[in-house]
Amino acid sequence: MAIKVLSIFGTRPEAIKMCPVVKELNKRKNINSVVCLTGQHREMLRQVMDVFKLKEDYNLDIMKPNQTLSMITASILEKMDDIISKEKPGLILVHGDTSTAFVAALAAFYHQIPIGHVEAGLRTYNLKSPYPEEFNRQAIDVMTEFYFAPTEKAKDTLLNEGKSENRVFVTGNTVIDALSTTVTDSYFNEHIEWAKDSRLILLTAHRRENIGEPMENIFKAVVKLTETFEDVKFIYPIHLNPRVREIADKYLKSNDKIRLIEPLDVFDFHNFMKRSYLIMTDSGEIQEEAPSLGKPVLVLRDTTERPEGINAGTLKLVGTDAVAIFNEAKLLLENENEYKKMSEAKNPYGDGTASCKIADIIETYFKE
Ligand code: UD1
Ligand code: UDP
């Protein structure tokens, strides 16, 4: 009999990394794949589902403007009950470290359904950074039965925490599976045309712990860079969070070297990355994509759970001090050797077969 696998995700980054998994599960005859979106994100989630041409079976549609962590947690937990009771899956898959992932895992745990954690084993061991994601991922791994670790390093972390070795599988990161379907040589976009005679810096910033003064510092550094370097242009696809938009509008709106644009779909975003000179971001997932594309990234955070990209030389942890951000960007804009050192394409995250490996492991285990 086929094993029923319920995949639950709800934000843009989870969807980008879970759609390749769902596509692979759909191909397997021993697996009955069901997808539940929590709808923690709305438009930004739909963009991903559309690019991957996938349809969900359920959408809890919980998103509210300016939602708090408690609102997200309470509404997902309550709505998950009926779906899990109705579907009675043999396995629930969650991804990463969002509130959706944590609450879906909690709901699975309450129903005593085994949990598979895709992208398990990332840690900063600092509960304040990233917040609340570090708590989420640690808590999920207390409840998980199948750990799909992206790298050997993540596996070692899990083993050091005492997880049993026969439940930890190194699969690579499914983001590489996604990247292999999006990046293309023949790509045209009006914003890229606008920046074509300049060095393009792609900017994203959205983290909860950066909202407020840290984000203001980031934007001050960006403005100073536009004033200092004639040949630099910025494109910033702004997250739909109104609190982020307010700060971005205040600092960046009237600058003709900065384009504030709506969130790009993942196909466009990956192709923008490929055509950038440099990326400045507080995102997690972009830190995994950039090494494959050979694009230097200044990470606008105090910690990273992705040391692989630092070791590969592609990422530099810069924090959120305006002077430090300006100086690190200046270095890469002025010093060719420094730029070259960071811009060699290296991919520490596997060979694009992570989804296939995850589906194989599930099929094999549940056949037994
Ligand atoms: C969430 C995740 C974070 C992840 C990020 C990816 C948690 C606690 N945080 O943070 O780990 O890095 O997603 O982007 O799980 N909004 C829209 N439309 C959308 C999406 C968001 O309008 O499609 C607005 C809403 O007003 C919403 C707000 O953005 O209330 C914040 O969304 P939320 O999911 O709470 O936080 P993120 O910062 O996106
Ligand atoms: N991304 C996208 N459109 C955008 C900005 C980012 O598709 O306008 C993609 C990006 O390539 C990466 C993911 O979204 O795969 C990162 O999402 P985000 O920064 O929201 O979340 P995080 O990675 O910080 O959890």
Side-chain angles (χ1 to χ4, degrees):
M1 216 179 65
I3 158 96
K4 185 181 280 187
V5 179
L6 175 61
S7 301
I8 307 175
F9 48 97
T11 65
R12 170 171 68 191
E14 296 167 88
I16 292 170
K17 297 198 232 182
M18 282 304 285
C19 282
V21 176
V22 170
K23 288 204 143 197
E24 192 57 42
L25 297 178
N26 285 346
K27 288 186 203 159
R28 306 297 176 110
K29 65 174 190 319
N30 295 320
I31 294 177
N32 173 6
S33 166
V34 178
V35 172
C36 175
L37 303 180
T38 62
Q40 179 179 334
H41 284 176
R42 188 166 293 141
E43 304 84 348
M44 286 161 54
L45 180 61
R46 186 55 54 204
Q47 279 183 315
V48 183
M49 298 301 281
D50 289 349
V51 166
F52 284 93
K53 299 186 173 63
L54 276 178
K55 291 240 177 308
E56 68 275 20
D57 300 283
Y58 300 94
N59 189 342
L60 308 183
D61 198 23
I62 61 122
M63 200 201 85
K64 298 269 184 305
N66 285 316
Q67 58 204 2
T68 63
L69 297 175
S70 311
M71 284 158 74
I72 301 171
T73 303
S75 45
I76 296 175
L77 196 57
E78 196 179 356
K79 290 186 176 188
M80 270 327 307
D81 251 355
D82 285 349
I83 292 166
I84 297 180
S85 301
K86 179 172 164 232
E87 290 291 342
K88 299 187 177 49
L91 177 70
I92 286 184
L93 287 184
V94 301
H95 179 280
D97 55 20
T98 64
S99 291
T100 284
F102 164 63
V103 184
L106 187 61
F109 176 70
Y110 286 163
H111 285 258
Q112 298 192 43
I113 312 276
I115 297 160
H117 187 192
V118 180
E119 201 181 89
L122 276 61
R123 298 286 186 270
T124 62
Y125 291 113
N126 176 349
L127 288 180
K128 292 195 177 129
S129 174
Y131 173 85
E133 291 82 359
E134 180 63 19
F135 164 78
N136 290 340
R137 55 170 89 110
Q138 289 194 34
I140 293 167
D141 285 340
V142 171
M143 300 180 276
T144 292
E145 286 203 27
F146 300 91
Y147 300 90
F148 301 114
T151 62
E152 289 291 340
K153 166 106 187 57
K155 175 178 176 181
D156 288 346
T157 301
L158 291 162
L159 297 185
N160 286 338
E161 288 180 4
K163 317 299 185 206
S164 57
E165 187 153 15
N166 61 359
R167 290 302 175 93
V168 181
F169 307 92
V170 178
T171 59
N173 195 310
T174 60
V175 78
I176 304 300
D177 311 13
L179 262 183
S180 65
T181 66
T182 50
V183 176
T184 160
D185 285 336
S186 55
Y187 177 75
F188 177 88
N189 183 287
E190 188 260 316
H191 297 300
I192 296 292
E193 277 300 294
W194 166 74
K196 78 169 187 279
D197 297 322
S198 306
R199 288 184 287 179
L200 170 61
I201 303 184
L202 190 58
L203 171 69
T204 81
H206 71 83
R207 298 228 82 76
R208 263 185 162 75
E209 70 271 21
N210 276 349
I211 292 175
E213 199 183 333
M215 201 167 276
E216 295 186 12
N217 291 340
I218 293 170
F219 297 158
K220 283 179 193 164
V222 165
V223 170
K224 189 155 177 222
L225 286 165
T226 61
E227 289 163 356
T228 312
F229 293 93
E230 266 294 300
D231 68 332
V232 163
K233 283 183 175 162
F234 279 84
I235 295 181
Y236 177 12
I238 320 183
H239 192 289
L240 291 176
N241 189 337
R243 294 169 70 203
V244 173
R245 295 191 151 220
E246 208 177 290
I247 308 174
D249 276 357
K250 180 168 160 208
Y251 285 90
L252 309 177
K253 203 172 181 177
S254 52
N255 186 319
D256 62 4
K257 289 171 129 196
I258 303 172
R259 278 205 174 174
L260 301 181
I261 61 173
E262 292 305 311
L264 293 165
D265 74 32
V266 61
F267 172 78
D268 285 323
F269 192 82
H270 285 171
N271 283 291
F272 272 47
M273 285 181 77
K274 172 106 170 41
R275 284 155 186 82
S276 299
Y277 179 81
L278 168 67
I279 297 163
M280 292 170 55
T281 188
D282 65 4
S283 156
E285 189 160 325
I286 292 171
Q287 296 177 51
E288 295 161 343
E289 296 164 341
S292 298
L293 299 171
K295 297 298 171 182
V297 178
L298 298 181
V299 181
L300 310 171
R301 296 167 49 176
D302 297 328
T303 57
T304 183
E305 56 294 276
R306 276 123 174 144
E308 295 88 351
I310 304 268
N311 296 337
T314 319
L315 312 183
K316 207 182 256 185
L317 204 54
V318 179
T320 55
D321 177 77
V323 176
I325 296 169
F326 175 79
N327 285 340
E328 291 294 349
K330 183 171 180 279
L331 183 68
L332 292 177
L333 289 162
E334 287 180 342
N335 186 322
E336 246 176 72
N337 281 341
E338 285 296 321
Y339 182 82
K340 206 158 163 277
K341 265 201 288 189
M342 284 184 76
S343 62
E344 275 155 23
K346 289 186 199 112
N347 165 14
Y349 289 112
D351 56 6
T353 59
S355 307
C356 189
K357 290 195 181 100
I358 290 167
D360 283 348
I361 293 160
I362 295 172
E363 258 190 334
T364 310
Y365 183 86
F366 284 94
K367 211 170 357 175
E368 282 164 10

